[in-house]
Amino acid sequence: MNSRPALGKIGVWTAALKTDSLPSAQVSEVAAELDELGYGAIWLGGSPSPDQAGVLLDATSRITIATGILSIWDHEAAYVAERHAALSAAHDGRFLLGLGVSHSALAGERYRRPYTAMKEYLTALDSAPAPVPASQRVLAALGPKMLKLSRDRATGAHPYLVTPEHTAEARDILGKDSVLAPELKVVLDTDLARARATARGYLSRYLALPNYTNNFLRLGFEDADFADGGSDRLISAMFALGDAEVIRARVDEFLAAGADHVAIQAVTDSPLADVPRAEWRTLAEALPLDKG
């Protein structure tokens, strides 16, 4: 197995730090603060390009920058390999390429045979003039087939919208050597009813995507759990709701289940627009970060 990426135990997952969402100067300022706070990685969501990840790399000196995830339908493998090589060389190998097949609702007619398409994309990365090493890529993986591919042709997996139970199952499939870095949504609010409403408002968009609902069914949920933005049972399983201590306890559950790293997504009432700096600062005090 190739050497593992330096992720630390805790990272930040956010789609807000993209230069098509915020001015590059603000993106750079926030990224630099996350680096200072001691988080191990920034997972840039929202199907980012390598160059958007490059803005974060330019603004930081220690933290790993990962795409969480780059859609294989949106970027040609040759271009991705070329940009990965350049960014990795310029930034001490701190660029981790997270790849995924996205969703049929987002990719449209291009979304055909996604598992085969991912295998072909990895082969294209392997055969590029400057190949992307398996040790520098992870796959968005939920089901057993993609988890096995993450084990065999990448350094590991970055599952999104999962539970500690899924993490334990994923670890069994991946084995002990592969990286397992699940994402965890958190609402830092001690008013449980309000926190659930915030979570439900965000989860509702994911309930229209079969990749996620099929995985929920594999985890033992039922169609009834998907109504009205998600049942209380589903919300409680997919989010950590409460104060920093409650969130720390859920993070510890993921780590105990076999996660190497947990990517925290702080959810607010406007999750696609907000940059939750106050939440990240609060969590930095409670979570096991490398404070240097």
Side-chain angles (χ1 to χ4, degrees):
M1 173 61 67
N2 291 311
S3 60
R4 294 152 65 96
L7 295 173
K9 288 186 177 180
I10 307 296
V12 162
W13 192 103
T14 178
L17 296 184
K18 292 171 60 180
T19 48
D20 57 0
S21 304
L22 291 175
S24 58
Q26 187 176 353
V27 168
S28 297
E29 178 192 343
V30 175
E33 181 181 7
L34 291 171
D35 197 359
E36 260 184 56
L37 286 171
Y39 287 100
I42 300 172
W43 296 83
L44 187 60
S47 300
S49 70
D51 290 329
Q52 287 171 324
V55 174
L56 303 183
L57 287 162
D58 287 340
T60 55
S61 61
R62 176 198 58 85
I63 196 169
T64 293
I65 306 299
T67 51
I69 51 79
L70 182 148
S71 170
I72 65 170
W73 313 107
D74 292 345
H75 304 283
E76 292 290 336
Y79 159 76
V80 170
E82 178 185 350
R83 295 304 299 137
H84 178 273
L87 291 167
S88 293
H91 298 285
D92 300 321
R94 291 189 293 116
F95 182 29
L96 178 62
L97 184 62
L99 299 167
V101 296
S102 187
H103 304 273
S104 58
L106 302 177
E109 294 181 357
R110 298 173 297 170
Y111 194 86
R112 296 178 181 173
R113 303 174 68 203
Y115 176 75
T116 298
M118 177 59 82
K119 290 198 298 181
E120 292 172 349
Y121 198 93
L122 294 173
T123 297
L125 293 178
D126 290 339
S127 58
V132 179
S135 62
Q136 294 176 26
R137 63 197 192 201
V138 294
L139 307 186
L142 294 175
K145 286 177 65 176
M146 198 65 79
L147 284 165
K148 289 176 183 175
L149 193 64
S150 303
R151 176 194 66 201
D152 297 340
R153 300 199 56 189
T155 198
H158 174 50
Y160 185 91
L161 201 55
V162 293
T163 62
E165 291 76 17
H166 180 276
T167 295
E169 294 173 6
R171 175 53 70 198
D172 285 344
I173 293 171
L174 291 171
K176 63 182 178 63
D177 294 326
S178 294
V179 170
L180 179 53
E183 175 266 356
L184 168 64
K185 293 174 175 56
V186 308
V187 181
L188 198 57
D189 188 341
T190 56
D191 183 321
L192 184 56
R194 188 171 60 203
R196 280 178 176 156
T198 298
R200 190 166 279 118
Y202 194 35
L203 184 64
S204 60
R205 74 195 69 217
Y206 293 103
L207 295 176
L209 300 174
N211 289 4
Y212 291 124
T213 54
N214 289 340
N215 194 54
F216 297 160
L217 293 171
R218 281 194 295 265
L219 291 170
F221 294 94
E222 302 173 352
D223 288 337
D225 288 303
F226 308 153
D228 302 319
S231 66
D232 284 354
R233 180 171 81 117
L234 184 62
I235 293 291
S236 296
M238 298 299 159
F239 289 76
L241 311 173
D243 61 16
E245 290 185 5
V246 169
I247 291 166
R248 169 65 189 262
R250 181 65 67 86
V251 167
D252 287 343
E253 288 181 34
F254 274 89
L255 295 173
D260 299 294
H261 171 95
V262 181
I264 300 295
Q265 181 178 179
V267 175
T268 65
D269 287 332
S270 301
L272 299 182
D274 286 348
V275 180
R277 297 178 78 168
E279 287 84 352
W280 291 334
R281 290 165 185 160
T282 297
L283 292 170
E285 295 299 317
L287 297 175
L289 306 189
D290 178 8
K291 304 296 196 303

